[in-house]
Short mmCIF file of all heavy atoms in Angstrom, two decimals:
data_model
loop_
_atom_site.label_atom_id
_atom_site.label_comp_id
_atom_site.label_asym_id
_atom_site.label_seq_id
_atom_site.Cartn_x
_atom_site.Cartn_y
_atom_site.Cartn_z
N LEU A 1 -9.20 -9.94 11.74
CA LEU A 1 -9.83 -9.66 10.45
C LEU A 1 -8.88 -9.90 9.29
O LEU A 1 -9.31 -10.24 8.19
CB LEU A 1 -10.39 -8.24 10.41
CG LEU A 1 -11.56 -7.98 11.36
CD1 LEU A 1 -11.96 -6.51 11.32
CD2 LEU A 1 -12.73 -8.88 11.06
N SER A 2 -7.58 -9.79 9.54
CA SER A 2 -6.61 -10.06 8.46
C SER A 2 -6.60 -11.55 8.09
O SER A 2 -6.09 -11.93 7.04
CB SER A 2 -5.21 -9.59 8.85
OG SER A 2 -4.63 -10.46 9.82
N HIS A 3 -7.17 -12.39 8.94
CA HIS A 3 -7.27 -13.83 8.67
C HIS A 3 -8.63 -14.21 8.08
O HIS A 3 -8.92 -15.39 7.90
CB HIS A 3 -7.08 -14.63 9.97
CG HIS A 3 -5.70 -14.60 10.52
ND1 HIS A 3 -4.71 -15.45 10.11
CD2 HIS A 3 -5.14 -13.80 11.46
CE1 HIS A 3 -3.61 -15.20 10.78
NE2 HIS A 3 -3.84 -14.20 11.60
N SER A 4 -9.47 -13.21 7.79
CA SER A 4 -10.86 -13.48 7.42
C SER A 4 -10.99 -14.38 6.19
O SER A 4 -11.91 -15.21 6.13
CB SER A 4 -11.63 -12.18 7.21
OG SER A 4 -11.05 -11.41 6.19
N LEU A 5 -10.10 -14.27 5.24
CA LEU A 5 -10.21 -15.10 4.04
C LEU A 5 -9.94 -16.57 4.33
O LEU A 5 -10.67 -17.45 3.88
CB LEU A 5 -9.28 -14.58 2.95
CG LEU A 5 -9.61 -15.02 1.53
CD1 LEU A 5 -11.04 -14.68 1.16
CD2 LEU A 5 -8.65 -14.36 0.55
N GLU A 6 -8.92 -16.86 5.12
CA GLU A 6 -8.63 -18.26 5.45
C GLU A 6 -9.71 -18.85 6.36
O GLU A 6 -10.08 -20.02 6.22
CB GLU A 6 -7.24 -18.42 6.06
CG GLU A 6 -7.04 -17.72 7.38
CD GLU A 6 -5.58 -17.55 7.75
OE1 GLU A 6 -4.96 -16.60 7.26
OE2 GLU A 6 -5.08 -18.37 8.55
N VAL A 7 -10.27 -18.02 7.26
CA VAL A 7 -11.36 -18.48 8.12
C VAL A 7 -12.58 -18.80 7.26
O VAL A 7 -13.20 -19.86 7.42
CB VAL A 7 -11.72 -17.43 9.19
CG1 VAL A 7 -12.98 -17.82 9.95
CG2 VAL A 7 -10.55 -17.22 10.14
N LEU A 8 -12.90 -17.91 6.32
CA LEU A 8 -14.05 -18.12 5.43
C LEU A 8 -13.88 -19.41 4.63
O LEU A 8 -14.81 -20.21 4.52
CB LEU A 8 -14.21 -16.93 4.49
CG LEU A 8 -15.36 -17.00 3.50
CD1 LEU A 8 -16.70 -16.94 4.24
CD2 LEU A 8 -15.26 -15.86 2.49
N LYS A 9 -12.69 -19.62 4.11
CA LYS A 9 -12.43 -20.82 3.31
C LYS A 9 -12.64 -22.10 4.11
O LYS A 9 -13.32 -23.01 3.67
CB LYS A 9 -11.00 -20.76 2.77
CG LYS A 9 -10.64 -21.94 1.91
CD LYS A 9 -9.22 -21.83 1.39
CE LYS A 9 -8.86 -23.01 0.53
NZ LYS A 9 -7.49 -22.95 0.06
N GLU A 10 -12.06 -22.14 5.32
CA GLU A 10 -12.19 -23.34 6.14
C GLU A 10 -13.61 -23.54 6.66
O GLU A 10 -14.14 -24.65 6.64
CB GLU A 10 -11.23 -23.29 7.32
CG GLU A 10 -9.82 -23.64 6.96
CD GLU A 10 -8.94 -23.79 8.18
OE1 GLU A 10 -9.38 -24.39 9.19
OE2 GLU A 10 -7.80 -23.32 8.13
N ALA A 11 -14.23 -22.46 7.13
CA ALA A 11 -15.53 -22.57 7.79
C ALA A 11 -16.66 -22.93 6.83
O ALA A 11 -17.57 -23.66 7.19
CB ALA A 11 -15.87 -21.27 8.50
N THR A 12 -16.59 -22.44 5.60
CA THR A 12 -17.72 -22.62 4.68
C THR A 12 -17.53 -23.79 3.73
O THR A 12 -18.40 -24.04 2.89
CB THR A 12 -17.97 -21.34 3.87
OG1 THR A 12 -16.85 -21.07 3.03
CG2 THR A 12 -18.26 -20.16 4.79
N MET A 13 -16.44 -24.48 3.85
CA MET A 13 -16.21 -25.69 3.05
C MET A 13 -16.39 -25.44 1.55
O MET A 13 -16.90 -26.30 0.83
CB MET A 13 -17.14 -26.82 3.51
CG MET A 13 -17.13 -27.07 5.01
SD MET A 13 -15.51 -27.49 5.68
CE MET A 13 -15.21 -29.03 4.86
N GLY A 14 -16.01 -24.25 1.09
CA GLY A 14 -16.09 -23.93 -0.33
C GLY A 14 -17.46 -23.48 -0.82
O GLY A 14 -17.63 -23.23 -2.00
N HIS A 15 -18.43 -23.33 0.08
CA HIS A 15 -19.77 -22.91 -0.33
C HIS A 15 -19.91 -21.40 -0.50
O HIS A 15 -20.91 -20.94 -1.04
CB HIS A 15 -20.82 -23.39 0.68
CG HIS A 15 -21.05 -24.87 0.63
ND1 HIS A 15 -21.85 -25.47 -0.31
CD2 HIS A 15 -20.55 -25.87 1.40
CE1 HIS A 15 -21.85 -26.77 -0.12
NE2 HIS A 15 -21.07 -27.04 0.91
N VAL A 16 -18.94 -20.63 -0.03
CA VAL A 16 -18.98 -19.18 -0.15
C VAL A 16 -17.77 -18.75 -0.97
O VAL A 16 -16.66 -19.27 -0.77
CB VAL A 16 -18.96 -18.50 1.24
CG1 VAL A 16 -18.90 -16.99 1.12
CG2 VAL A 16 -20.18 -18.93 2.05
N LYS A 17 -17.98 -17.82 -1.89
CA LYS A 17 -16.88 -17.34 -2.72
C LYS A 17 -15.76 -16.78 -1.85
O LYS A 17 -16.00 -16.01 -0.94
CB LYS A 17 -17.36 -16.27 -3.70
CG LYS A 17 -18.24 -16.84 -4.78
CD LYS A 17 -18.54 -15.80 -5.84
CE LYS A 17 -19.43 -16.46 -6.88
NZ LYS A 17 -19.55 -15.69 -8.08
N GLN A 18 -14.56 -17.18 -2.20
CA GLN A 18 -13.39 -16.81 -1.41
C GLN A 18 -12.85 -15.44 -1.83
O GLN A 18 -11.86 -15.35 -2.54
CB GLN A 18 -12.31 -17.89 -1.56
CG GLN A 18 -12.79 -19.29 -1.28
CD GLN A 18 -13.33 -19.44 0.12
OE1 GLN A 18 -12.65 -19.17 1.08
NE2 GLN A 18 -14.57 -19.88 0.24
N ARG A 19 -13.53 -14.41 -1.37
CA ARG A 19 -13.08 -13.03 -1.64
C ARG A 19 -13.00 -12.29 -0.32
O ARG A 19 -13.89 -12.42 0.53
CB ARG A 19 -14.06 -12.32 -2.57
CG ARG A 19 -14.16 -12.94 -3.95
CD ARG A 19 -15.01 -12.08 -4.90
NE ARG A 19 -16.08 -11.34 -4.29
CZ ARG A 19 -17.38 -11.69 -4.31
NH1 ARG A 19 -17.75 -12.79 -4.93
NH2 ARG A 19 -18.28 -10.94 -3.73
N ARG A 20 -11.95 -11.52 -0.14
CA ARG A 20 -11.80 -10.76 1.11
C ARG A 20 -12.99 -9.85 1.33
O ARG A 20 -13.49 -9.73 2.45
CB ARG A 20 -10.50 -9.96 1.08
CG ARG A 20 -10.27 -9.18 2.35
CD ARG A 20 -8.81 -8.84 2.55
NE ARG A 20 -8.62 -7.91 3.63
CZ ARG A 20 -8.73 -8.18 4.92
NH1 ARG A 20 -9.05 -9.39 5.30
NH2 ARG A 20 -8.53 -7.27 5.85
N LYS A 21 -13.49 -9.22 0.27
CA LYS A 21 -14.64 -8.33 0.39
C LYS A 21 -15.84 -9.10 0.93
O LYS A 21 -16.56 -8.61 1.80
CB LYS A 21 -14.98 -7.71 -0.97
CG LYS A 21 -16.15 -6.76 -0.92
CD LYS A 21 -16.44 -6.18 -2.29
CE LYS A 21 -17.67 -5.29 -2.22
NZ LYS A 21 -18.13 -4.84 -3.50
N LYS A 22 -16.06 -10.31 0.46
CA LYS A 22 -17.18 -11.13 0.93
C LYS A 22 -16.99 -11.49 2.40
O LYS A 22 -17.94 -11.44 3.19
CB LYS A 22 -17.29 -12.41 0.08
CG LYS A 22 -18.46 -13.27 0.44
CD LYS A 22 -19.75 -12.53 0.18
CE LYS A 22 -20.96 -13.39 0.34
NZ LYS A 22 -22.19 -12.65 0.15
N ALA A 23 -15.78 -11.83 2.77
CA ALA A 23 -15.50 -12.18 4.17
C ALA A 23 -15.83 -11.00 5.08
O ALA A 23 -16.46 -11.17 6.13
CB ALA A 23 -14.04 -12.59 4.32
N LEU A 24 -15.43 -9.81 4.69
CA LEU A 24 -15.70 -8.63 5.50
C LEU A 24 -17.17 -8.26 5.50
O LEU A 24 -17.70 -7.79 6.51
CB LEU A 24 -14.83 -7.45 5.04
CG LEU A 24 -13.33 -7.65 5.26
CD1 LEU A 24 -12.54 -6.48 4.68
CD2 LEU A 24 -13.00 -7.85 6.74
N GLU A 25 -17.88 -8.51 4.39
CA GLU A 25 -19.33 -8.26 4.34
C GLU A 25 -20.06 -9.14 5.34
O GLU A 25 -21.09 -8.74 5.89
CB GLU A 25 -19.88 -8.56 2.94
CG GLU A 25 -19.59 -7.53 1.90
CD GLU A 25 -20.03 -7.97 0.51
OE1 GLU A 25 -20.61 -9.08 0.35
OE2 GLU A 25 -19.78 -7.21 -0.43
N LEU A 26 -19.56 -10.33 5.56
CA LEU A 26 -20.21 -11.25 6.50
C LEU A 26 -19.95 -10.87 7.96
O LEU A 26 -20.81 -11.05 8.80
CB LEU A 26 -19.74 -12.68 6.23
CG LEU A 26 -20.20 -13.30 4.92
CD1 LEU A 26 -19.48 -14.61 4.66
CD2 LEU A 26 -21.70 -13.50 4.91
N ILE A 27 -18.77 -10.34 8.25
CA ILE A 27 -18.39 -10.08 9.63
C ILE A 27 -18.70 -8.65 10.10
O ILE A 27 -18.94 -8.42 11.29
CB ILE A 27 -16.91 -10.44 9.88
CG1 ILE A 27 -16.66 -10.73 11.35
CG2 ILE A 27 -15.97 -9.38 9.38
CD1 ILE A 27 -17.34 -11.96 11.87
N THR A 28 -18.73 -7.69 9.18
CA THR A 28 -18.94 -6.29 9.57
C THR A 28 -20.26 -6.06 10.31
O THR A 28 -20.25 -5.40 11.37
CB THR A 28 -18.82 -5.37 8.34
OG1 THR A 28 -17.50 -5.53 7.81
CG2 THR A 28 -19.04 -3.92 8.71
N PRO A 29 -21.39 -6.59 9.85
CA PRO A 29 -22.64 -6.37 10.61
C PRO A 29 -22.57 -6.93 12.04
O PRO A 29 -23.09 -6.33 12.97
CB PRO A 29 -23.70 -7.10 9.79
CG PRO A 29 -23.13 -7.22 8.43
CD PRO A 29 -21.64 -7.32 8.61
N PHE A 30 -21.93 -8.06 12.21
CA PHE A 30 -21.76 -8.67 13.53
C PHE A 30 -21.02 -7.71 14.46
O PHE A 30 -21.45 -7.45 15.58
CB PHE A 30 -21.02 -10.01 13.37
CG PHE A 30 -20.28 -10.46 14.59
CD1 PHE A 30 -20.97 -10.93 15.69
CD2 PHE A 30 -18.90 -10.43 14.62
CE1 PHE A 30 -20.28 -11.36 16.82
CE2 PHE A 30 -18.21 -10.87 15.74
CZ PHE A 30 -18.90 -11.33 16.84
N LEU A 31 -19.91 -7.16 14.00
CA LEU A 31 -19.13 -6.25 14.83
C LEU A 31 -19.86 -4.93 15.05
O LEU A 31 -19.81 -4.36 16.15
CB LEU A 31 -17.75 -6.00 14.20
CG LEU A 31 -16.81 -7.20 14.17
CD1 LEU A 31 -15.57 -6.91 13.36
CD2 LEU A 31 -16.44 -7.64 15.59
N SER A 32 -20.57 -4.46 14.05
CA SER A 32 -21.32 -3.20 14.15
C SER A 32 -22.48 -3.29 15.13
O SER A 32 -22.93 -2.27 15.65
CB SER A 32 -21.85 -2.77 12.79
OG SER A 32 -20.79 -2.53 11.90
N ASN A 33 -22.99 -4.49 15.35
CA ASN A 33 -24.13 -4.68 16.25
C ASN A 33 -23.72 -5.17 17.63
O ASN A 33 -24.50 -5.84 18.31
CB ASN A 33 -25.14 -5.65 15.62
CG ASN A 33 -25.84 -5.02 14.44
OD1 ASN A 33 -26.20 -3.85 14.48
ND2 ASN A 33 -26.02 -5.78 13.39
N GLY A 34 -22.51 -4.86 18.04
CA GLY A 34 -22.07 -5.18 19.40
C GLY A 34 -21.34 -6.50 19.55
O GLY A 34 -20.95 -6.86 20.67
N GLY A 35 -21.13 -7.22 18.46
CA GLY A 35 -20.38 -8.47 18.54
C GLY A 35 -18.91 -8.19 18.85
O GLY A 35 -18.41 -7.09 18.61
N TYR A 36 -18.25 -9.19 19.37
CA TYR A 36 -16.84 -9.02 19.73
C TYR A 36 -16.15 -10.38 19.66
O TYR A 36 -16.79 -11.42 19.53
CB TYR A 36 -16.71 -8.42 21.14
CG TYR A 36 -17.44 -9.19 22.21
CD1 TYR A 36 -16.82 -10.20 22.93
CD2 TYR A 36 -18.78 -8.90 22.50
CE1 TYR A 36 -17.50 -10.92 23.90
CE2 TYR A 36 -19.46 -9.60 23.48
CZ TYR A 36 -18.82 -10.61 24.18
OH TYR A 36 -19.49 -11.31 25.14
N TYR A 37 -14.84 -10.33 19.76
CA TYR A 37 -14.04 -11.56 19.77
C TYR A 37 -13.47 -11.79 21.16
O TYR A 37 -13.03 -10.85 21.83
CB TYR A 37 -12.87 -11.46 18.79
CG TYR A 37 -13.27 -11.51 17.34
CD1 TYR A 37 -13.30 -10.37 16.55
CD2 TYR A 37 -13.62 -12.72 16.75
CE1 TYR A 37 -13.67 -10.42 15.23
CE2 TYR A 37 -13.98 -12.79 15.43
CZ TYR A 37 -14.00 -11.64 14.67
OH TYR A 37 -14.37 -11.70 13.36
N LEU A 38 -13.47 -13.04 21.57
CA LEU A 38 -12.68 -13.48 22.70
C LEU A 38 -11.47 -14.16 22.11
O LEU A 38 -11.59 -14.90 21.13
CB LEU A 38 -13.45 -14.47 23.56
CG LEU A 38 -14.71 -13.97 24.24
CD1 LEU A 38 -15.40 -15.11 24.99
CD2 LEU A 38 -14.40 -12.82 25.18
N ILE A 39 -10.31 -13.89 22.68
CA ILE A 39 -9.09 -14.51 22.17
C ILE A 39 -8.48 -15.43 23.22
O ILE A 39 -8.60 -15.19 24.42
CB ILE A 39 -8.04 -13.48 21.72
CG1 ILE A 39 -7.63 -12.58 22.90
CG2 ILE A 39 -8.53 -12.67 20.54
CD1 ILE A 39 -6.37 -11.77 22.64
N CYS A 40 -7.84 -16.46 22.75
CA CYS A 40 -7.01 -17.31 23.58
C CYS A 40 -5.58 -16.89 23.28
O CYS A 40 -5.17 -16.88 22.11
CB CYS A 40 -7.23 -18.78 23.23
SG CYS A 40 -6.18 -19.88 24.20
N HIS A 41 -4.84 -16.51 24.31
CA HIS A 41 -3.48 -16.04 24.07
C HIS A 41 -2.52 -16.63 25.09
O HIS A 41 -2.91 -17.06 26.18
CB HIS A 41 -3.41 -14.51 24.07
CG HIS A 41 -3.73 -13.90 25.40
ND1 HIS A 41 -2.77 -13.52 26.29
CD2 HIS A 41 -4.92 -13.64 25.99
CE1 HIS A 41 -3.34 -13.02 27.37
NE2 HIS A 41 -4.65 -13.08 27.22
N GLU A 42 -1.26 -16.65 24.69
CA GLU A 42 -0.19 -17.16 25.54
C GLU A 42 1.10 -16.47 25.10
O GLU A 42 1.40 -16.41 23.90
CB GLU A 42 -0.08 -18.67 25.36
CG GLU A 42 0.86 -19.34 26.30
CD GLU A 42 0.78 -20.86 26.16
OE1 GLU A 42 1.20 -21.36 25.09
OE2 GLU A 42 0.30 -21.50 27.09
N ASN A 43 1.83 -15.94 26.05
CA ASN A 43 3.11 -15.25 25.75
C ASN A 43 2.95 -14.21 24.64
O ASN A 43 3.74 -14.18 23.69
CB ASN A 43 4.20 -16.26 25.39
CG ASN A 43 4.47 -17.24 26.51
OD1 ASN A 43 4.40 -16.89 27.68
ND2 ASN A 43 4.74 -18.48 26.15
N ASN A 44 1.92 -13.38 24.73
CA ASN A 44 1.64 -12.32 23.75
C ASN A 44 1.36 -12.82 22.34
O ASN A 44 1.48 -12.08 21.38
CB ASN A 44 2.79 -11.29 23.71
CG ASN A 44 2.86 -10.50 24.98
OD1 ASN A 44 1.83 -10.23 25.61
ND2 ASN A 44 4.06 -10.11 25.37
N ARG A 45 0.99 -14.11 22.21
CA ARG A 45 0.60 -14.66 20.91
C ARG A 45 -0.86 -15.06 20.97
O ARG A 45 -1.29 -15.72 21.92
CB ARG A 45 1.41 -15.91 20.58
CG ARG A 45 2.83 -15.67 20.19
CD ARG A 45 3.47 -16.98 19.86
NE ARG A 45 3.15 -17.92 20.95
CZ ARG A 45 3.94 -18.87 21.38
NH1 ARG A 45 5.07 -19.10 20.81
NH2 ARG A 45 3.59 -19.66 22.38
N VAL A 46 -1.60 -14.69 19.94
CA VAL A 46 -2.99 -15.12 19.82
C VAL A 46 -2.98 -16.52 19.22
O VAL A 46 -2.39 -16.74 18.17
CB VAL A 46 -3.81 -14.14 18.95
CG1 VAL A 46 -5.21 -14.69 18.69
CG2 VAL A 46 -3.89 -12.77 19.61
N LEU A 47 -3.64 -17.45 19.89
CA LEU A 47 -3.68 -18.84 19.44
C LEU A 47 -4.98 -19.16 18.69
O LEU A 47 -5.01 -20.04 17.85
CB LEU A 47 -3.55 -19.79 20.63
CG LEU A 47 -2.43 -19.52 21.64
CD1 LEU A 47 -2.47 -20.55 22.76
CD2 LEU A 47 -1.07 -19.49 20.97
#
């Protein structure tokens, strides 16, 4: 979630305002409704 602003910027190609609050507004309902992340990791680093 600390990367949410850079993810929003890249994913939306500038169509969504680049504000951390907006990024969290988009992702919070997903997580609240049972969504989750799968991570790819190697040597204790998330890739």
Side-chain angles (χ1 to χ4, degrees):
L1 293 176
S2 74
H3 291 275
S4 60
L5 200 54
E6 64 197 82
V7 172
L8 180 67
K9 181 180 180 182
E10 281 189 42
T12 65
M13 309 302 295
H15 288 279
V16 176
K17 290 188 180 193
Q18 308 301 303
R19 296 188 328 258
R20 181 158 170 74
K21 181 180 177 188
K22 184 63 172 177
L24 294 176
E25 284 173 2
L26 292 170
I27 203 67
T28 300
F30 156 72
L31 292 172
S32 297
N33 290 319
Y36 54 91
Y37 288 104
L38 297 177
I39 60 166
C40 178
H41 65 97
E42 187 173 68
N43 300 325
N44 292 327
R45 287 182 311 214
V46 173
L47 312 179

